[in-house]
Structures are given as structure tokens and as C-alpha cells.
Amino acid sequence: MGERNLTIVKEFVIQGFYELPNLQGLLFGIFTVIYMSILMGNGLMAIIIKTDTALHTPMYFFLGNFSFLEICYTSVILPRMLMNLWTQNRNISVVACAAQLCVLLILAATECLLLAVMAYDRYVAICRPLYYPVIMNQKVCVQLVVGSWVCGIPVQIGQTYQIFSMPFCGSNKLNHIFCDVPPLLKLACGDTSINELFAYAVAVLFGTIPFFLIIWSYVNIIATILNLPVGMGRSKAFSTCSSHLIVVDLFFGSALITYLRPKSTHSPVIDKVLSLFYTIVTPMFNPLIYGLRNKDVIAALKKIFSK
């Protein structure tokens, strides 16, 4: 490599939606509306859960943290995307790209773990109702949330360091909407097989394992609900669980397809569409899925607006 005339990359160009030059203004307007709705919807959910004492239960404690997480998650991506669309300046330094990737990966790991915790909470509530107050006490709930937030930090910092310790040379055009692992590995020089293997391992650790834990929880939950006599809380249990399952399907479905499918099948357009689902679509619909389908949240909203 030393003998070859290669330009070391010092900044990337996030190409975003460069294929649609005539729609940049429209895309800016659409994503601005989406970002505002995410901030207002999830912010309102977090405030309602914090202020209404009727919602001070483990389920809503986890949901409040999840809503706050969604705000953080989208705020790592959307403001930068909006700036790129508005200014048409898509350059980002290597350091800024590394910081965005690291924070994004940490928050993604947190979301996977928190969704698994929420599924476990529903499992205990439905399958072990008599032991629920003992198992899901305040101390345990706090520990589960803190663990969800911090467990991914050392692993994702390590993955980010591993990726950016590789040289990037030649093209600096990142054909994606934000700094992410697959498009960055495409720009790296040399053999990236170790990096790809580590990325798969991390995806399995924070994606596949929590996903299977969620599946296990809901298999037990559904079996328990079906064994209940007709009318004894069946509809309420199904309603609560279905909201969580919709979010799980949206987030895990798109994220796991993105990170675990073979490298040969990766397409920049498909990657962009899938990434929009797990970074923007899920946070946008989170308040609607959990709020409009939940009588307790609707009752809390009526209290606020009546005041």
C-alpha cells in the first residue's frame, strides 16, 4: 500500500438521497414533520407517564424510558440529515462520523435490550401475576433499565474503534443516509473479514438473542392467555401485548435484515429504506401504537387537557 498513490480519507460525503435531486426540498419538509412528530409524540408520552401517578407502574416506567430513548435515537440522525438536505453540503469529518456511529450503535443496543425487558415484564405480569409485585419491584426495574442503557457501551465503543482503526482510502462517498457499519466497511481498505465477523457477532448478541427472548416470552404469554376463561382479561392482555409486538416487528425485522443478511445481497437503496424503518418509522409510530391503543394513556391525556 505504501507504494501505491492512495488518498487517505479525512472526511466522508454522506450521499443520502442524491438519486432524487429534484425532491430535496420535499424530503426536507417530510423529514422535518416526522422529526417534530417524534419529538412531540414521544415527549408527551414521557411527560404523561412521569406526571400521572396512575401510570407509575413497571410497564409504564419501561415505556417512558423507551419514549425518551426514541427521542435520543432519532436526534442522532435526523438533525444531520435535515442539515444535509437544506444546505446540500453532505460532508462529515471522520471524527464526527465515528461519533455518530458509536452513539447510534449504543442506542440501538439499548433499544434491543429494553424491548426484551418490556417483553419480560409482560411475561411476569401475565404468566406469574401473584409474584409480579415481588419480581418487578422498583429496584429490579431500575436495574433492568440501567443495564439496558449501559451494557452496550463497551462493546459498541470497541466495534467503532475497530472499524475506524482501519484505513479509508480512495472513494469517500458513503452511499447511505447516516454513518453505519455496512457502508463504512465498503470504503475500508484491505481485508474487512474480521470486522464483518465482529459486526455479525455484535448483531447476534444485541439483536438476535433479545429477539429470541422476546419470542420465548410471547410464546408463554399467548399460551397462558389462551388457557384463561373467556372474558377474564383476555382482550386487555392481547391489546397490551399486540402493541409491543408491532414495535418489535418494525424494529427487529428491518434491523436484523440489514445486519444479518449476506454481504452479496446488500443494495444501497434497500439499505436506506430498511434503515428508515428502524431509525425513523418505529419512533414515529411508537406514541400512536402505545397511546391510541391504551385506555390508561388516553385517560391520562384527557386529564391533562381537561386541566
Side-chain angles (χ1 to χ4, degrees), residues 118-137:
M118 293 168 74
Y120 175 70
D121 171 68
R122 292 298 85 206
Y123 162 76
V124 177
I126 294 172
C127 301
R128 301 286 186 271
L130 297 178
Y131 298 99
Y132 183 72
V134 177
I135 297 174
M136 301 303 293
N137 59 63

Side-chain angles (χ1 to χ4, degrees), residues 101 104-105 178 180-182 199-200 203 254-261 266 278:
L101 177 67
L104 186 66
L105 291 176
F178 55 86
D180 202 5
V181 176
Y200 275 114
S254 54
L256 290 177
I257 291 172
T258 299
Y259 284 93
L260 294 182
R261 76 183 195 273
H266 276 258
Y278 66 83

Side-chain angles (χ1 to χ4, degrees), residues 14 34 102 125 140 153 157 183 204 220 265-266 272 285:
I14 300 178
I34 289 174
C102 186
V140 170
I153 293 175
I157 289 176
V204 169
N220 286 277
T265 64
H266 276 258
K272 290 176 189 179
F285 284 112

Side-chain angles (χ1 to χ4, degrees), residues 26 28 47 62 68 70 122 164 180 229 236 239 257 271 294:
L26 177 62
F28 176 82
I47 292 169
F62 296 135
F68 175 69
E70 297 289 55
R122 292 298 85 206
F164 281 90
D180 202 5
K236 184 177 181 181
S239 177
I257 291 172
D271 286 347
N294 192 303

Side-chain angles (χ1 to χ4, degrees), residues 1-280:
M1 282 180 59
E3 297 178 359
R4 292 162 59 187
N5 185 19
L6 295 176
T7 303
I8 302 300
V9 172
K10 295 182 179 179
E11 65 177 15
F12 297 106
V13 178
I14 300 178
Q15 293 191 291
F17 301 98
Y18 77 98
E19 309 99 329
L20 307 169
N22 298 325
L23 298 178
Q24 299 296 297
L26 177 62
L27 290 172
F28 176 82
I30 291 172
F31 285 119
T32 299
V33 172
I34 289 174
Y35 187 45
M36 290 298 104
S37 66
I38 289 171
L39 293 180
M40 290 188 292
N42 287 282
L44 184 60
M45 284 287 292
I47 292 169
I48 289 171
I49 291 168
K50 181 69 175 177
T51 56
D52 195 316
T53 54
L55 301 180
H56 289 178
T57 63
M59 183 179 78
Y60 292 109
F61 174 67
F62 296 135
L63 181 55
N65 274 272
F66 187 71
S67 296
F68 175 69
L69 172 64
E70 297 289 55
I71 293 174
C72 297
Y73 196 51
T74 52
S75 294
V76 177
I77 299 168
L78 274 174
R80 183 94 198 187
M81 188 191 301
L82 291 172
M83 184 184 73
N84 293 347
L85 288 169
W86 181 256
T87 63
Q88 294 299 300
N89 180 12
R90 302 185 178 94
N91 293 3
I92 183 172
S93 68
V94 171
V95 174
C97 187
Q100 185 187 58
L101 177 67
C102 186
V103 175
L104 186 66
L105 291 176
I106 290 171
L107 294 177
T110 302
E111 182 150 353
C112 292
L113 295 173
L114 198 53
L115 284 170
V117 167
M118 293 168 74
Y120 175 70
D121 171 68
R122 292 298 85 206
Y123 162 76
V124 177
I126 294 172
C127 301
R128 301 286 186 271
L130 297 178
Y131 298 99
Y132 183 72
V134 177
I135 297 174
M136 301 303 293
N137 59 63
Q138 185 178 9
K139 182 180 178 181
V140 170
C141 291
V142 172
Q143 289 174 341
L144 288 171
V145 167
V146 172
S148 299
W149 279 93
V150 303
C151 278
I153 293 175
V155 177
Q156 302 296 16
I157 289 176
Q159 180 171 213
T160 304
Y161 174 78
Q162 186 189 47
I163 291 171
F164 281 90
S165 62
M166 297 184 67
F168 295 94
C169 45
S171 175
N172 67 339
K173 293 180 179 179
L174 195 69
N175 195 3
H176 204 54
I177 56 177
F178 55 86
C179 292
D180 202 5
V181 176
L184 281 168
L185 290 179
K186 289 181 179 179
L187 301 183
C189 299
D191 184 16
T192 61
S193 57
I194 299 298
N195 303 79
E196 291 169 11
L197 183 62
F198 189 73
Y200 275 114
V202 172
V204 169
L205 178 63
F206 291 109
T208 307
I209 292 176
F211 181 70
F212 280 118
L213 288 174
I214 292 169
I215 297 299
W216 174 84
S217 297
Y218 276 101
V219 167
N220 286 277
I221 287 169
I222 292 170
T224 302
I225 292 173
L226 292 176
N227 287 328
L228 290 174
V230 177
M232 288 190 62
R234 271 192 178 189
S235 59
K236 184 177 181 181
F238 271 123
S239 177
T240 303
C241 295
S242 63
S243 298
H244 186 242
L245 280 173
I246 292 170
V247 174
V248 168
D249 289 340
L250 284 172
F251 179 78
F252 277 99
S254 54
L256 290 177
I257 291 172
T258 299
Y259 284 93
L260 294 182
R261 76 183 195 273
K263 184 181 178 181
S264 58
T265 64
H266 276 258
S267 163
V269 175
I270 295 174
D271 286 347
K272 290 176 189 179
V273 173
L274 288 172
S275 65
L276 287 176
F277 270 92
Y278 66 83
T279 58
I280 296 174

